[in-house]
Amino acid sequence: MHAIIRSLLRVARPTGPALSLVALCFAMQGCPAKAPPAGVRFPITSGFHTVLPSPDQRILIWADPAVAEIAAEWLRTHHYSTLLTPHPAPFQAASEAIHRFADRQAALAVAREMKAEFVLFLERDERKDGALIESSCGSRFSIDVRITGLSMERQETTLRGDAHYPHCVTASPETMRALTCQAFATAWGFRPSGQLDIPSHLMCTAGQTESTPTR
């Protein structure tokens, strides 16, 4: 705290009433906190791919509902049309593990049953602490969205994407959409890893090309 005050004194050199106001601000609980740097509004991402699914492959989306529809929308925008999602009817007699999104073996069993050629696992992690620049989130969350792609033919992971904010955020549909789009765009190579001044709404359509007109 003393270091911060000394820094303010060096930069602004307040005197008289202004200096008293600075001291009072730090002493009072009701004084508003300093706004975070503008750059923190952009997510930090990482990702790579060795092989991407082709547009005509059958892709199983294994995700929790908060991000599954966003993932399907992103893929449809990029001309992936055969998208599969797990549903109860064919698997009612099976173990409840079928519907546990974290259970990879269950996902692979569903993929084989549905003749999927590629599986996209999406995981959402929400915590009350652990953000890079905030130790405690209070009513907000430290949120991370991760994507892992597995080729059924190769039986290996061929892509990964991850996106998170360095600060705490609200768990809103807008936040989930921003992180999911940024993670996809990084995994597909439409943007490099890191924290860059790239608006998330652009990553929802990154790399989009015009469809071939139907004749």
PDB file of all heavy atoms in Angstrom, residues 104-127:
ATOM      1  N   ARG A 104     -14.284 -39.561 -20.883  1.00  0.00           N
ATOM      2  CA  ARG A 104     -13.846 -39.704 -22.276  1.00  0.00           C
ATOM      3  C   ARG A 104     -14.188 -41.076 -22.848  1.00  0.00           C
ATOM      4  O   ARG A 104     -14.515 -41.199 -24.021  1.00  0.00           O
ATOM      5  CB  ARG A 104     -12.328 -39.468 -22.371  1.00  0.00           C
ATOM      6  CG  ARG A 104     -11.874 -38.095 -21.899  1.00  0.00           C
ATOM      7  CD  ARG A 104     -12.479 -37.008 -22.777  1.00  0.00           C
ATOM      8  NE  ARG A 104     -12.096 -35.677 -22.344  1.00  0.00           N
ATOM      9  CZ  ARG A 104     -11.027 -35.030 -22.789  1.00  0.00           C
ATOM     10  NH1 ARG A 104     -10.226 -35.595 -23.669  1.00  0.00           N
ATOM     11  NH2 ARG A 104     -10.758 -33.828 -22.361  1.00  0.00           N
ATOM     12  N   GLN A 105     -14.091 -42.107 -22.043  1.00  0.00           N
ATOM     13  CA  GLN A 105     -14.396 -43.446 -22.547  1.00  0.00           C
ATOM     14  C   GLN A 105     -15.857 -43.547 -22.969  1.00  0.00           C
ATOM     15  O   GLN A 105     -16.187 -44.162 -23.987  1.00  0.00           O
ATOM     16  CB  GLN A 105     -14.068 -44.498 -21.474  1.00  0.00           C
ATOM     17  CG  GLN A 105     -12.589 -44.643 -21.176  1.00  0.00           C
ATOM     18  CD  GLN A 105     -11.781 -44.932 -22.429  1.00  0.00           C
ATOM     19  OE1 GLN A 105     -12.133 -45.793 -23.231  1.00  0.00           O
ATOM     20  NE2 GLN A 105     -10.681 -44.205 -22.608  1.00  0.00           N
ATOM     21  N   ALA A 106     -16.733 -42.917 -22.184  1.00  0.00           N
ATOM     22  CA  ALA A 106     -18.148 -42.899 -22.553  1.00  0.00           C
ATOM     23  C   ALA A 106     -18.346 -42.151 -23.867  1.00  0.00           C
ATOM     24  O   ALA A 106     -19.118 -42.566 -24.730  1.00  0.00           O
ATOM     25  CB  ALA A 106     -18.974 -42.257 -21.441  1.00  0.00           C
ATOM     26  N   ALA A 107     -17.630 -41.048 -24.028  1.00  0.00           N
ATOM     27  CA  ALA A 107     -17.743 -40.267 -25.262  1.00  0.00           C
ATOM     28  C   ALA A 107     -17.305 -41.078 -26.472  1.00  0.00           C
ATOM     29  O   ALA A 107     -17.949 -41.039 -27.530  1.00  0.00           O
ATOM     30  CB  ALA A 107     -16.894 -38.995 -25.148  1.00  0.00           C
ATOM     31  N   LEU A 108     -16.225 -41.829 -26.327  1.00  0.00           N
ATOM     32  CA  LEU A 108     -15.741 -42.639 -27.445  1.00  0.00           C
ATOM     33  C   LEU A 108     -16.731 -43.755 -27.772  1.00  0.00           C
ATOM     34  O   LEU A 108     -16.911 -44.110 -28.944  1.00  0.00           O
ATOM     35  CB  LEU A 108     -14.368 -43.214 -27.117  1.00  0.00           C
ATOM     36  CG  LEU A 108     -13.254 -42.166 -26.940  1.00  0.00           C
ATOM     37  CD1 LEU A 108     -11.942 -42.845 -26.566  1.00  0.00           C
ATOM     38  CD2 LEU A 108     -13.086 -41.337 -28.208  1.00  0.00           C
ATOM     39  N   ALA A 109     -17.377 -44.296 -26.746  1.00  0.00           N
ATOM     40  CA  ALA A 109     -18.395 -45.320 -26.992  1.00  0.00           C
ATOM     41  C   ALA A 109     -19.560 -44.731 -27.782  1.00  0.00           C
ATOM     42  O   ALA A 109     -20.073 -45.354 -28.720  1.00  0.00           O
ATOM     43  CB  ALA A 109     -18.881 -45.896 -25.668  1.00  0.00           C
ATOM     44  N   VAL A 110     -19.982 -43.528 -27.406  1.00  0.00           N
ATOM     45  CA  VAL A 110     -21.059 -42.857 -28.133  1.00  0.00           C
ATOM     46  C   VAL A 110     -20.615 -42.546 -29.562  1.00  0.00           C
ATOM     47  O   VAL A 110     -21.368 -42.712 -30.517  1.00  0.00           O
ATOM     48  CB  VAL A 110     -21.480 -41.563 -27.406  1.00  0.00           C
ATOM     49  CG1 VAL A 110     -22.468 -40.763 -28.249  1.00  0.00           C
ATOM     50  CG2 VAL A 110     -22.080 -41.890 -26.044  1.00  0.00           C
ATOM     51  N   ALA A 111     -19.364 -42.105 -29.726  1.00  0.00           N
ATOM     52  CA  ALA A 111     -18.848 -41.777 -31.058  1.00  0.00           C
ATOM     53  C   ALA A 111     -18.883 -42.992 -31.975  1.00  0.00           C
ATOM     54  O   ALA A 111     -19.268 -42.901 -33.148  1.00  0.00           O
ATOM     55  CB  ALA A 111     -17.426 -41.231 -30.945  1.00  0.00           C
ATOM     56  N   ARG A 112     -18.489 -44.144 -31.448  1.00  0.00           N
ATOM     57  CA  ARG A 112     -18.524 -45.366 -32.268  1.00  0.00           C
ATOM     58  C   ARG A 112     -19.961 -45.736 -32.611  1.00  0.00           C
ATOM     59  O   ARG A 112     -20.251 -46.138 -33.747  1.00  0.00           O
ATOM     60  CB  ARG A 112     -17.820 -46.501 -31.526  1.00  0.00           C
ATOM     61  CG  ARG A 112     -16.297 -46.358 -31.493  1.00  0.00           C
ATOM     62  CD  ARG A 112     -15.631 -47.600 -30.947  1.00  0.00           C
ATOM     63  NE  ARG A 112     -15.850 -47.733 -29.510  1.00  0.00           N
ATOM     64  CZ  ARG A 112     -15.045 -47.248 -28.568  1.00  0.00           C
ATOM     65  NH1 ARG A 112     -13.955 -46.557 -28.908  1.00  0.00           N
ATOM     66  NH2 ARG A 112     -15.308 -47.431 -27.288  1.00  0.00           N
ATOM     67  N   GLU A 113     -20.861 -45.577 -31.628  1.00  0.00           N
ATOM     68  CA  GLU A 113     -22.265 -45.926 -31.855  1.00  0.00           C
ATOM     69  C   GLU A 113     -22.888 -45.022 -32.926  1.00  0.00           C
ATOM     70  O   GLU A 113     -23.691 -45.471 -33.750  1.00  0.00           O
ATOM     71  CB  GLU A 113     -23.042 -45.789 -30.542  1.00  0.00           C
ATOM     72  CG  GLU A 113     -24.487 -46.242 -30.611  1.00  0.00           C
ATOM     73  CD  GLU A 113     -24.630 -47.755 -30.727  1.00  0.00           C
ATOM     74  OE1 GLU A 113     -23.688 -48.476 -30.344  1.00  0.00           O
ATOM     75  OE2 GLU A 113     -25.687 -48.198 -31.207  1.00  0.00           O
ATOM     76  N   MET A 114     -22.501 -43.752 -32.911  1.00  0.00           N
ATOM     77  CA  MET A 114     -23.081 -42.788 -33.846  1.00  0.00           C
ATOM     78  C   MET A 114     -22.250 -42.643 -35.129  1.00  0.00           C
ATOM     79  O   MET A 114     -22.528 -41.794 -35.965  1.00  0.00           O
ATOM     80  CB  MET A 114     -23.228 -41.424 -33.157  1.00  0.00           C
ATOM     81  CG  MET A 114     -24.139 -41.458 -31.944  1.00  0.00           C
ATOM     82  SD  MET A 114     -24.361 -39.825 -31.161  1.00  0.00           S
ATOM     83  CE  MET A 114     -25.553 -39.082 -32.277  1.00  0.00           C
ATOM     84  N   LYS A 115     -21.208 -43.493 -35.259  1.00  0.00           N
ATOM     85  CA  LYS A 115     -20.338 -43.489 -36.436  1.00  0.00           C
ATOM     86  C   LYS A 115     -19.691 -42.113 -36.674  1.00  0.00           C
ATOM     87  O   LYS A 115     -19.547 -41.659 -37.819  1.00  0.00           O
ATOM     88  CB  LYS A 115     -21.102 -43.945 -37.671  1.00  0.00           C
ATOM     89  CG  LYS A 115     -21.579 -45.394 -37.575  1.00  0.00           C
ATOM     90  CD  LYS A 115     -22.333 -45.813 -38.814  1.00  0.00           C
ATOM     91  CE  LYS A 115     -22.621 -47.303 -38.810  1.00  0.00           C
ATOM     92  NZ  LYS A 115     -23.338 -47.779 -37.596  1.00  0.00           N
ATOM     93  N   ALA A 116     -19.295 -41.475 -35.574  1.00  0.00           N
ATOM     94  CA  ALA A 116     -18.585 -40.201 -35.676  1.00  0.00           C
ATOM     95  C   ALA A 116     -17.148 -40.462 -36.117  1.00  0.00           C
ATOM     96  O   ALA A 116     -16.540 -41.469 -35.752  1.00  0.00           O
ATOM     97  CB  ALA A 116     -18.608 -39.466 -34.342  1.00  0.00           C
ATOM     98  N   GLU A 117     -16.612 -39.547 -36.902  1.00  0.00           N
ATOM     99  CA  GLU A 117     -15.222 -39.664 -37.360  1.00  0.00           C
ATOM    100  C   GLU A 117     -14.278 -38.765 -36.572  1.00  0.00           C
ATOM    101  O   GLU A 117     -13.057 -38.921 -36.633  1.00  0.00           O
ATOM    102  CB  GLU A 117     -15.149 -39.306 -38.849  1.00  0.00           C
ATOM    103  CG  GLU A 117     -15.966 -40.252 -39.725  1.00  0.00           C
ATOM    104  CD  GLU A 117     -16.168 -39.688 -41.116  1.00  0.00           C
ATOM    105  OE1 GLU A 117     -17.121 -38.909 -41.321  1.00  0.00           O
ATOM    106  OE2 GLU A 117     -15.348 -40.033 -42.002  1.00  0.00           O
ATOM    107  N   PHE A 118     -14.858 -37.822 -35.847  1.00  0.00           N
ATOM    108  CA  PHE A 118     -14.066 -36.872 -35.073  1.00  0.00           C
ATOM    109  C   PHE A 118     -14.869 -36.497 -33.831  1.00  0.00           C
ATOM    110  O   PHE A 118     -16.097 -36.364 -33.903  1.00  0.00           O
ATOM    111  CB  PHE A 118     -13.786 -35.616 -35.913  1.00  0.00           C
ATOM    112  CG  PHE A 118     -12.573 -34.844 -35.493  1.00  0.00           C
ATOM    113  CD1 PHE A 118     -11.331 -35.131 -36.033  1.00  0.00           C
ATOM    114  CD2 PHE A 118     -12.669 -33.821 -34.558  1.00  0.00           C
ATOM    115  CE1 PHE A 118     -10.202 -34.416 -35.646  1.00  0.00           C
ATOM    116  CE2 PHE A 118     -11.557 -33.105 -34.168  1.00  0.00           C
ATOM    117  CZ  PHE A 118     -10.314 -33.399 -34.711  1.00  0.00           C
ATOM    118  N   VAL A 119     -14.197 -36.354 -32.691  1.00  0.00           N
ATOM    119  CA  VAL A 119     -14.867 -35.964 -31.448  1.00  0.00           C
ATOM    120  C   VAL A 119     -14.260 -34.667 -30.941  1.00  0.00           C
ATOM    121  O   VAL A 119     -13.040 -34.533 -30.839  1.00  0.00           O
ATOM    122  CB  VAL A 119     -14.736 -37.044 -30.356  1.00  0.00           C
ATOM    123  CG1 VAL A 119     -15.549 -36.642 -29.124  1.00  0.00           C
ATOM    124  CG2 VAL A 119     -15.188 -38.404 -30.874  1.00  0.00           C
ATOM    125  N   LEU A 120     -15.119 -33.709 -30.630  1.00  0.00           N
ATOM    126  CA  LEU A 120     -14.682 -32.459 -30.008  1.00  0.00           C
ATOM    127  C   LEU A 120     -15.163 -32.443 -28.559  1.00  0.00           C
ATOM    128  O   LEU A 120     -16.368 -32.441 -28.292  1.00  0.00           O
ATOM    129  CB  LEU A 120     -15.254 -31.255 -30.753  1.00  0.00           C
ATOM    130  CG  LEU A 120     -14.567 -30.852 -32.056  1.00  0.00           C
ATOM    131  CD1 LEU A 120     -15.318 -29.695 -32.698  1.00  0.00           C
ATOM    132  CD2 LEU A 120     -13.113 -30.480 -31.823  1.00  0.00           C
ATOM    133  N   PHE A 121     -14.221 -32.475 -27.630  1.00  0.00           N
ATOM    134  CA  PHE A 121     -14.531 -32.367 -26.208  1.00  0.00           C
ATOM    135  C   PHE A 121     -14.413 -30.903 -25.808  1.00  0.00           C
ATOM    136  O   PHE A 121     -13.378 -30.272 -26.038  1.00  0.00           O
ATOM    137  CB  PHE A 121     -13.540 -33.183 -25.366  1.00  0.00           C
ATOM    138  CG  PHE A 121     -13.495 -34.644 -25.696  1.00  0.00           C
ATOM    139  CD1 PHE A 121     -12.526 -35.148 -26.562  1.00  0.00           C
ATOM    140  CD2 PHE A 121     -14.401 -35.525 -25.142  1.00  0.00           C
ATOM    141  CE1 PHE A 121     -12.470 -36.494 -26.862  1.00  0.00           C
ATOM    142  CE2 PHE A 121     -14.356 -36.882 -25.435  1.00  0.00           C
ATOM    143  CZ  PHE A 121     -13.385 -37.361 -26.304  1.00  0.00           C
ATOM    144  N   LEU A 122     -15.457 -30.362 -25.199  1.00  0.00           N
ATOM    145  CA  LEU A 122     -15.406 -29.006 -24.676  1.00  0.00           C
ATOM    146  C   LEU A 122     -15.642 -29.050 -23.172  1.00  0.00           C
ATOM    147  O   LEU A 122     -16.630 -29.657 -22.704  1.00  0.00           O
ATOM    148  CB  LEU A 122     -16.461 -28.110 -25.329  1.00  0.00           C
ATOM    149  CG  LEU A 122     -16.083 -27.539 -26.698  1.00  0.00           C
ATOM    150  CD1 LEU A 122     -16.390 -28.538 -27.804  1.00  0.00           C
ATOM    151  CD2 LEU A 122     -16.827 -26.238 -26.956  1.00  0.00           C
ATOM    152  N   GLU A 123     -14.736 -28.442 -22.432  1.00  0.00           N
ATOM    153  CA  GLU A 123     -14.844 -28.416 -20.976  1.00  0.00           C
ATOM    154  C   GLU A 123     -14.848 -26.977 -20.492  1.00  0.00           C
ATOM    155  O   GLU A 123     -14.062 -26.156 -20.976  1.00  0.00           O
ATOM    156  CB  GLU A 123     -13.678 -29.174 -20.348  1.00  0.00           C
ATOM    157  CG  GLU A 123     -13.652 -30.643 -20.752  1.00  0.00           C
ATOM    158  CD  GLU A 123     -12.366 -31.323 -20.314  1.00  0.00           C
ATOM    159  OE1 GLU A 123     -11.342 -31.120 -20.993  1.00  0.00           O
ATOM    160  OE2 GLU A 123     -12.398 -32.039 -19.298  1.00  0.00           O
ATOM    161  N   ARG A 124     -15.718 -26.705 -19.538  1.00  0.00           N
ATOM    162  CA  ARG A 124     -15.808 -25.365 -18.950  1.00  0.00           C
ATOM    163  C   ARG A 124     -15.464 -25.480 -17.468  1.00  0.00           C
ATOM    164  O   ARG A 124     -16.029 -26.294 -16.747  1.00  0.00           O
ATOM    165  CB  ARG A 124     -17.216 -24.821 -19.116  1.00  0.00           C
ATOM    166  CG  ARG A 124     -17.461 -23.482 -18.458  1.00  0.00           C
ATOM    167  CD  ARG A 124     -18.938 -23.150 -18.466  1.00  0.00           C
ATOM    168  NE  ARG A 124     -19.720 -24.169 -17.790  1.00  0.00           N
ATOM    169  CZ  ARG A 124     -20.984 -23.996 -17.402  1.00  0.00           C
ATOM    170  NH1 ARG A 124     -21.602 -22.867 -17.637  1.00  0.00           N
ATOM    171  NH2 ARG A 124     -21.638 -24.974 -16.799  1.00  0.00           N
ATOM    172  N   ASP A 125     -14.523 -24.662 -17.026  1.00  0.00           N
ATOM    173  CA  ASP A 125     -14.084 -24.681 -15.628  1.00  0.00           C
ATOM    174  C   ASP A 125     -14.403 -23.331 -15.002  1.00  0.00           C
ATOM    175  O   ASP A 125     -13.934 -22.297 -15.485  1.00  0.00           O
ATOM    176  CB  ASP A 125     -12.579 -24.975 -15.564  1.00  0.00           C
ATOM    177  CG  ASP A 125     -12.076 -25.120 -14.140  1.00  0.00           C
ATOM    178  OD1 ASP A 125     -12.896 -25.406 -13.248  1.00  0.00           O
ATOM    179  OD2 ASP A 125     -10.866 -24.933 -13.914  1.00  0.00           O
ATOM    180  N   GLU A 126     -15.214 -23.339 -13.949  1.00  0.00           N
ATOM    181  CA  GLU A 126     -15.562 -22.113 -13.231  1.00  0.00           C
ATOM    182  C   GLU A 126     -15.080 -22.230 -11.793  1.00  0.00           C
ATOM    183  O   GLU A 126     -15.445 -23.164 -11.094  1.00  0.00           O
ATOM    184  CB  GLU A 126     -17.074 -21.873 -13.244  1.00  0.00           C
ATOM    185  CG  GLU A 126     -17.648 -21.580 -14.614  1.00  0.00           C
ATOM    186  CD  GLU A 126     -19.144 -21.299 -14.554  1.00  0.00           C
ATOM    187  OE1 GLU A 126     -19.670 -21.109 -13.430  1.00  0.00           O
ATOM    188  OE2 GLU A 126     -19.779 -21.285 -15.603  1.00  0.00           O
ATOM    189  N   ARG A 127     -14.259 -21.274 -11.373  1.00  0.00           N
ATOM    190  CA  ARG A 127     -13.739 -21.277 -10.000  1.00  0.00           C
ATOM    191  C   ARG A 127     -13.924 -19.908  -9.365  1.00  0.00           C
ATOM    192  O   ARG A 127     -14.085 -18.909 -10.054  1.00  0.00           O
ATOM    193  CB  ARG A 127     -12.252 -21.645  -9.998  1.00  0.00           C
ATOM    194  CG  ARG A 127     -11.969 -23.080 -10.432  1.00  0.00           C
ATOM    195  CD  ARG A 127     -10.482 -23.308 -10.578  1.00  0.00           C
ATOM    196  NE  ARG A 127      -9.952 -22.506 -11.688  1.00  0.00           N
ATOM    197  CZ  ARG A 127      -8.659 -22.283 -11.901  1.00  0.00           C
ATOM    198  NH1 ARG A 127      -7.763 -22.760 -11.072  1.00  0.00           N
ATOM    199  NH2 ARG A 127      -8.271 -21.569 -12.941  1.00  0.00           N
TER     200      ARG A 127
END
